[in-house]
Amino acid sequence: MTKNANQQGATASSRIFEVLRQDLLNGRFGAGERLSISALKDTYQVGLSPLREALNRLAAYGLLRQENQRGFRVLELSRGELDDITEMRRQMEGMAIERAIEHGDDEWESQLLAANHRLSLTDESTSVNQWEFLHSRFHNALVEPCGSVWLLRFIGQLHDQFDRYRRVAPGSPELRGRLDAQHKELVDLVLARDRKGARELIEDHITLSSQVAQLSLTPCSG
Amino acid sequence: MTKNANQQGATASSRIFEVLRQDLLNGRFGAGERLSISALKDTYQVGLSPLREALNRLAAYGLLRQENQRGFRVLELSRGELDDITEMRRQMEGMAIERAIEHGDDEWESQLLAANHRLSLTDESTSVNQWEFLHSRFHNALVEPCGSVWLLRFIGQLHDQFDRYRRVAPGSPELRGRLDAQHKELVDLVLARDRKGARELIEDHITLSSQVAQLSLTPCSG
DNA sequence: CTAAGTCAAATAATCGATTATTTCTAGAAA
DNA sequence: TTTCTAGAAATAATCGATTATTTGACTTAG
């Protein structure tokens, strides 16, 4: 999906898809907002056809809702949906990390250590975009060798859904500190090949992360 | 997704999306085949724009592969992918049926009995399309009250993927008979609110069904 | 007043034509 | 023969204009 957008021969469709996807995750549009096609055309300087193709993909991917003859809308944010996404992430990433520990080789361990190191080196001077990039690289590395293309696909999709909440939530230094500490612990459990332990911790990690994301739903946040 | 296609104000895009989806599931196109856009335009009597929008949706949904500047291709069939889809179905539908038994009410029991009855009334005079419709209605009814929109979405997507294999496989009366018997047993276990038993049986059911689907991969099937 | 109806403006969807890229073919050089 | 390279043909992607539908303001009947 993302892959095609940064390549040499990327089409206008795939480029605008990726830009819109990022903007949707970053909360550039309000929840439930109606997207005016001609307005998007102007702001993103892109033709109607590639724009509509990108919007169709985003709707099929689950980041937009399409209503016949009424265009496209940003999805709402709700506590119920966040809880659903959170529980699904717990189940699927728990499953994936167990399988990854089963199948992952030495090269995986190295990549994981590297990904965690790069993430841990970030500080106040790091851009949000760069941190998000390294953070998702780390989480991806954790589950990558699980052996299931479809499991990885669903996990990626759920991450995007989850990030719609997390990225618009106000920061919480206390929770953030605990979450960062868990990244290191996750690596340790993986290196120790502790399947049950790693599963429990990633489930806790997702639950804690969900507490941050929930802050996006409190009225005082906007 | 499907909902918008049969409605009153369905657009050309949503109609052709649904038609193409069904044709892809029914194996109308060969695995790995390149879809010529202008050929599709002629055979389906539809304009270029709605056709391209539908193809973009199908690619995002996972029924087509899109290569920049090289159009759209039907996905290949492989044993590895079928095994992946099968295992994911086992996990997710197992999870879903447990949750459905936890949450489902009397109305659900009634709907499930009805769905099974309608399916069991089919015979040689029933069209394949009608049987497929009732069969998917039954399986959908089984998991419907699981309480997770995302779980249901993923299960539906995996069913479509699985059906690409199953529908092009040669029939096996012996396996089909056993599968049909399991439908009734599933209803009984659900009515008895036997979570573990129902989970085990649906996992077996999916594995057995996968044995049918595997027949699509043997050379002698074509 | 309210509710149903009508028209104009706004906007989504679609069409037909154009542009850009890939693929195929044929010929030339190694 | 093989490999490389035009150039032509095929096809994917995009554009600009047109059509269809919805929305909202304004009537008018009840």
Side-chain angles (χ1 to χ4, degrees), chain B residues 203-219:
Chain B
E203 289 180 359
D204 289 351
H205 184 69
I206 292 164
T207 300
L208 192 57
S209 186
S210 178
Q211 287 176 30
V212 175
Q214 278 168 36
L215 300 175
S216 65
L217 299 168
T218 59

Side-chain angles (χ1 to χ4, degrees), chain B residues 99-208:
Chain B
R99 292 208 223 167
I101 289 173
E102 208 170 337
H103 300 126
D105 56 11
D106 297 350
E107 177 57 23
W108 174 50
E109 296 186 355
S110 314
Q111 293 293 336
L112 193 53
L113 272 167
N116 178 243
H117 187 62
R118 282 190 286 266
L119 180 58
S120 67
L121 287 178
T122 58
D123 55 29
E124 305 77 35
S125 70
T126 312
S127 74
V128 176
N129 272 353
Q130 178 66 3
W131 185 86
E132 291 288 352
F133 175 73
L134 293 174
H135 183 245
S136 91
R137 278 270 294 267
F138 172 74
H139 274 278
N140 192 55
L142 264 182
V143 293
E144 231 263 303
C146 75
S148 168
V149 172
W150 280 96
L151 186 50
L152 291 174
R153 180 186 180 120
F154 291 148
I155 287 172
Q157 208 167 347
L158 288 167
H159 266 266
D160 276 3
Q161 293 294 326
F162 191 85
D163 281 6
R164 288 184 61 231
Y165 292 81
R166 185 178 55 75
R167 294 198 196 180
V168 299
S172 164
E174 199 264 326
L175 293 175
R176 186 69 263 158
R178 286 209 275 155
L179 287 164
D180 288 341
Q182 288 180 335
H183 290 152
K184 172 73 169 63
E185 294 170 48
L186 277 166
V187 174
D188 291 341
L189 289 169
V190 161
L191 295 185
R193 301 279 165 174
D194 181 350
R195 284 168 49 173
K196 293 298 168 199
R199 177 168 196 151
E200 275 174 37
L201 184 54
I202 199 152
E203 289 180 359
D204 289 351
H205 184 69
I206 292 164
T207 300
L208 192 57

Side-chain angles (χ1 to χ4, degrees), chain A residues 11-13 47-50 70:
Chain A
T11 62
S13 290
L48 202 57
S49 310
R70 269 180 246 182

